Amino acid sequence: MTEFAATFQDLPVEQVEQDPDQPRKDFAVEADDNRLLTSIKEIGVQQPIVVLQIDESRYKIIDGHRRHIAARELGLKTVPCRIFTKLPKGELERLRFEIQNNRREWKPLERSDALERIKTLKGFKSNRELAQCIGLSESLIHFSLQLRKQTLEYIGLMEKYELPETYRIEFMNLKPKIRKIRDLEVSDITIILFKKIRDGVIKNAKSFRKLKKIFLRAHLNEKELHEFLMDPDMTVDDIMENTAQSGPSLLVEKLLVELGKIFQKGSEIAEQDTMTFMQLRDFLVKKFPVTNDA
């Protein structure tokens, strides 16, 4: 973090203003914040509010919104502040992210918004640049920014069912593979999965990876998927057991995938491979003869 000059000074409360672009929104100082109010009432604001001077007598809060709200509630005339007079483009967002993240971990949507603002304002072209700038893993930044692209419907559901971040990340990977199962639309299935998480039936975010494999074969697993979705107590392990494939079946499925890739590319099949495939064809025809009724 590049150091920028800052001064410390008590500022009039009315000259300090909230930042409407602040990603973190839960700043209400109510009954559950009595501890903060009591602390400030008895010993004052001990940790300076971090502000950026935007005019001769106007200061925008970078960090310290709740302390400022509490000070106003208590009728304080001044508050101690750490004052920055100038910050390069994007550094305000980066500074705010670092300070607030160190004090209290960001909620997933808050962090997603904060990271997007840093990336945009600092002109980063890749997630790798952003990762190197703030010291987070590139994969975490990728999934955090992806969260912004989810529809408001899904974001609202995630908030409603209080999905932990790991579940949100895994759900984002699963969602493109979810398809309608009989009378259950994708939105119905999403709510069912979230309820299973809330009720402890789905106990691990990685369970979504197992479900992804099952949904990839939804045309074969429709009956089992429907049972899983309709039974609130049925676990992912239960459906995995019900849809387990035999060894030969898995091999044939992998073979079909590889053949599909070869034909898609228009590649030639080696003579030795062609003979093997013909042997497999002859074997299958004998075991599964085509009848006139087929």
Side-chain angles (χ1 to χ4, degrees):
M1 169 73 69
T2 305
E3 291 296 330
F4 300 101
T7 58
F8 291 86
Q9 181 182 338
D10 286 352
L11 294 175
V13 171
E14 65 270 15
Q15 292 185 8
V16 178
E17 57 189 64
Q18 305 277 316
D19 182 359
D21 294 326
Q22 160 69 241
R24 184 164 276 167
K25 304 299 182 185
D26 55 337
F27 291 125
V29 180
E30 299 172 346
D32 59 343
D33 292 307
N34 280 338
R35 186 173 180 276
L36 175 63
L37 289 166
T38 300
S39 173
I40 292 178
K41 182 177 181 180
E42 293 181 352
I43 61 177
V45 179
Q46 295 301 299
Q47 184 170 3
I49 297 172
V50 183
V51 300
L52 175 67
Q53 185 172 9
I54 55 177
D55 206 339
E56 184 177 350
S57 58
R58 291 180 60 204
Y59 301 85
K60 180 167 62 176
I61 297 175
I62 298 175
D63 178 66
H65 288 73
R66 292 176 64 248
R67 278 165 279 156
H68 179 248
I69 293 172
R72 287 191 313 185
E73 291 286 330
L74 294 169
L76 301 186
K77 300 300 182 184
T78 63
V79 286
C81 294
R82 181 186 180 193
I83 306 168
F84 288 90
T85 57
K86 184 179 180 180
L87 287 173
K89 191 175 182 180
E91 284 300 326
L92 182 150
E93 299 299 333
R94 182 184 176 192
L95 179 63
R96 171 160 51 201
F97 182 87
E98 296 292 350
I99 294 173
Q100 294 190 1
N101 189 58
N102 289 336
R103 178 178 301 109
R104 177 163 59 94
E105 187 174 359
W106 292 84
K107 290 182 178 179
L109 286 178
E110 294 174 340
R111 179 166 61 189
S112 181
D113 189 34
L115 291 175
E116 178 66 26
R117 290 172 63 84
I118 296 172
K119 183 177 182 180
T120 300
L121 292 174
K122 289 188 73 66
F124 292 145
K125 302 301 182 183
S126 68
N127 291 342
R128 177 170 296 180
E129 292 178 279
L130 179 57
Q132 293 172 344
C133 174
I134 60 178
L136 293 179
S137 70
E138 190 174 345
S139 60
L140 177 58
I141 287 176
H142 168 76
F143 286 118
S144 186
L145 293 179
Q146 281 292 108
L147 186 59
R148 292 173 53 84
K149 299 179 182 179
Q150 301 301 302
T151 64
L152 291 177
E153 176 187 3
Y154 287 111
I155 290 176
L157 285 173
M158 289 177 180
E159 293 294 316
K160 177 180 178 180
Y161 288 96
E162 299 180 342
L163 258 66
E165 185 171 12
T166 52
Y167 283 90
R168 297 185 188 215
I169 291 173
E170 294 295 345
F171 174 74
M172 285 160 51
N173 284 325
L174 168 65
K175 188 170 76 70
K177 306 303 178 184
I178 298 177
R179 46 153 281 189
K180 181 178 179 180
I181 301 297
R182 296 187 180 177
D183 56 336
L184 297 174
E185 301 289 343
V186 172
S187 58
D188 299 322
I189 295 172
T190 300
I191 292 175
I192 290 171
L193 294 177
F194 288 1
K195 285 182 177 179
K196 283 179 178 279
I197 294 170
R198 179 197 63 190
D199 298 338
V201 178
I202 295 179
K203 300 179 180 180
N204 191 308
K206 292 182 179 180
S207 294
F208 279 161
R209 300 181 189 181
K210 299 177 182 179
L211 284 176
K212 183 178 179 180
K213 294 180 180 179
I214 297 174
F215 270 104
L216 283 171
R217 304 176 69 254
H219 62 294
L220 298 176
N221 297 325
E222 187 174 69
K223 174 178 175 292
E224 290 79 8
L225 276 167
H226 192 263
E227 291 177 355
F228 167 75
L229 295 167
M230 295 304 294
D231 185 347
D233 297 319
M234 189 173 182
T235 67
V236 174
D237 287 339
D238 290 336
I239 188 175
M240 285 293 291
E241 184 176 342
N242 293 343
T243 57
Q245 294 175 270
S246 65
S249 176
L250 286 171
L251 290 174
V252 170
E253 188 167 286
K254 290 180 180 179
L255 174 62
L256 291 173
V257 171
E258 292 303 318
L259 285 175
K261 292 178 182 178
I262 292 174
F263 294 142
Q264 188 174 17
K265 293 179 180 178
S267 303
E268 294 292 332
I269 299 177
E271 183 178 350
Q272 298 90 329
D273 291 338
T274 300
M275 294 180 62
T276 302
F277 295 150
M278 292 179 65
Q279 289 176 346
L280 176 61
R281 181 200 63 185
D282 293 341
F283 173 80
L284 292 174
V285 169
K286 289 180 180 179
K287 288 295 182 180
F288 307 100
V290 178
T291 64
N292 293 331
D293 297 331

